[in-house]
Amino acid sequence: AVVSTQSTGEEEEDPPITKYPSMGWDYQSDTIPNLYYAGTITHGTDKRVSSGGFIHGFRYSSRSLSYVLAARNHGIRWPSEKVPLHGITSYILKRMNEMNGPYQMFYVMTDVYLRRGNTVEVFKDVPNGLLHKIHELLVEPLEMSRDLVVVRLEYGKDYSKVGGDPFRKERTELEPARAHLCNFIHPVLYHFTKTPRAVPIRTKALKGEQHKLHLPEDLYTDFATLKRHWVPLNNFIGSIWNVDMSYVSIEECLLQHLTRAGMSVQCRRPLLSVGHIDRSNVRKIPDWELSQKFLDDFVTK
């Protein structure tokens, strides 16, 4: 805004006014060391970017704060779980349909998949602004090499465009090859072979990725379709990590075993023996390893 001063007749700008204190992505004050903020006040890091000003958003930033303090003050690394490399596509697919933090805190909360040989370590709900300090969160040396994939949910740049037509013909994009044009919330994967670069608060960008993949939007946020989600995701993982991620059925594995043919990597791990699973209950299976075996039943489109 611009105001007029009666004394000089000159115009001068209003001083900047904000109701949020100055803080970093770790929720620590920029002016008072060791003072951390929690709750709705942490919306100062994602104002006009995400939902940190409301309970459905800052409950996740508050939990992340506890993980930051545990790593920084007590040497307790960010909670994680380990997934076999050849089961990671099914795991990511299932996680994308269930991740609450990245859904409510779009752009800001991310899932980090760190490859360690034939295992992938998964770290959930990591703030995007702390990715450049991933070594601190994992309580590891900075110089360690890391190959990681970051997954988060994003909206298209024209989703809430002022004066835009919400019913325009090109608003929805369902083709995988054009998923980068999606406007509704959809998964985006970033591949980093080096530590991501730092980004300022209240920004949507991630910096330093080697590869990037957009997956198509869905009105019901169902990211488990075969052709639009599983196939491009699986191809992306196989390409960036140079691994054969092709699907091998149990029947093919059995044939390889009986004929003493060369066993593919996908067949070297023991498969769980399960009976008939009703199609309506496939999504409720707690063990992510089963989703690849029952892929044809898992997808309905």
Side-chain angles (χ1 to χ4, degrees):
V2 177
V3 296
S4 298
T5 58
Q6 295 181 351
S7 56
T8 63
E10 298 177 353
E11 292 186 337
E12 57 184 29
E13 294 185 357
D14 286 338
I17 299 176
T18 176
K19 63 179 181 179
Y20 298 106
S22 177
M23 71 183 80
W25 279 112
D26 58 355
Y27 313 112
Q28 181 177 195
S29 170
D30 287 337
T31 57
I32 306 176
N34 298 317
L35 173 63
Y36 292 82
Y37 299 103
T40 186
I41 201 170
T42 57
H43 191 38
T45 62
D46 59 84
K47 182 181 178 183
R48 297 178 181 174
V49 173
S50 196
S51 315
F54 310 93
I55 180 60
H56 64 269
F58 68 71
R59 59 184 175 181
Y60 300 107
S61 58
S62 297
R63 182 172 61 185
S64 295
L65 172 60
S66 71
Y67 294 156
V68 170
L69 294 177
R72 183 168 293 174
N73 298 329
H74 305 287
I76 302 175
R77 68 200 308 267
W78 200 279
S80 68
E81 58 183 298
K82 295 181 179 180
V83 181
L85 177 59
H86 281 87
I88 196 61
T89 299
S90 298
Y91 182 96
I92 295 177
L93 189 76
K94 188 173 186 292
R95 172 66 180 161
M96 288 192 309
N97 284 269
E98 299 176 349
M99 52 188 187
N100 41 17
Y103 179 78
Q104 301 290 1
M105 290 288 285
F106 42 89
Y107 291 113
V108 173
M109 290 297 169
T110 71
D111 282 356
V112 177
Y113 296 82
L114 177 59
R115 182 183 179 185
R116 299 187 185 277
N118 290 324
T119 302
V120 179
E121 195 167 9
V122 185
F123 304 88
K124 300 176 181 178
D125 298 341
V126 180
N128 71 323
L130 292 181
L131 293 175
H132 70 289
K133 294 184 177 181
I134 191 69
H135 64 284
E136 179 183 345
L137 304 181
L138 306 188
V139 194
E140 296 177 346
L142 172 62
E143 60 273 11
M144 282 186 61
S145 60
R146 296 179 182 86
D147 192 341
L148 54 90
V149 171
V150 175
V151 181
R152 68 177 184 176
L153 296 176
E154 301 180 5
Y155 285 89
K157 62 179 182 179
D158 294 330
Y159 176 72
S160 56
K161 185 177 181 179
V162 177
D165 179 7
F167 302 106
R168 62 187 184 278
K169 182 178 179 181
E170 66 278 8
R171 195 212 66 80
T172 302
E173 185 55 67
L174 301 178
E175 291 298 324
R178 295 170 54 85
H180 60 287
L181 301 177
C182 289
N183 282 292
F184 193 46
I185 194 168
H186 62 283
V188 183
L189 289 79
Y190 297 79
H191 175 227
F192 296 89
T193 55
K194 298 180 180 179
T195 301
R197 299 202 299 268
V199 294
I201 62 171
R202 301 178 190 174
T203 183
K204 301 177 181 178
L206 288 180
K207 296 182 179 180
E209 74 274 8
Q210 301 297 117
H211 306 92
K212 184 177 179 180
L213 173 71
H214 287 258
L215 293 174
E217 64 182 273
D218 184 85
L219 180 62
Y220 303 103
T221 59
D222 179 4
F223 307 123
T225 65
L226 176 59
K227 294 183 179 180
R228 292 193 287 117
H229 298 103
W230 193 91
V231 170
L233 172 61
N234 199 57
N235 290 341
F236 179 74
I237 295 297
S239 175
I240 62 173
W241 283 342
N242 193 27
V243 177
D244 180 9
M245 298 293 289
S246 58
Y247 173 71
V248 181
S249 68
I250 290 181
E251 291 78 10
E252 290 178 87
C253 290
L254 178 60
L255 180 61
Q256 291 180 18
H257 179 73
L258 294 178
T259 59
R260 297 185 181 275
M263 294 287 285
S264 60
V265 177
Q266 296 88 326
C267 296
R268 292 173 189 168
R269 293 181 59 251
L271 296 174
L272 296 180
S273 177
V274 296
H276 173 73
I277 296 181
D278 183 72
R279 176 173 301 186
S280 62
N281 293 325
V282 171
R283 291 185 181 277
K284 301 177 183 179
I285 298 175
D287 195 327
W288 50 265
E289 291 187 1
L290 303 183
S291 61
Q292 184 138 347
K293 176 179 179 298
F294 291 98
L295 178 62
D296 294 336
D297 290 328
F298 184 72
V299 295
T300 57
K301 300 178 183 178

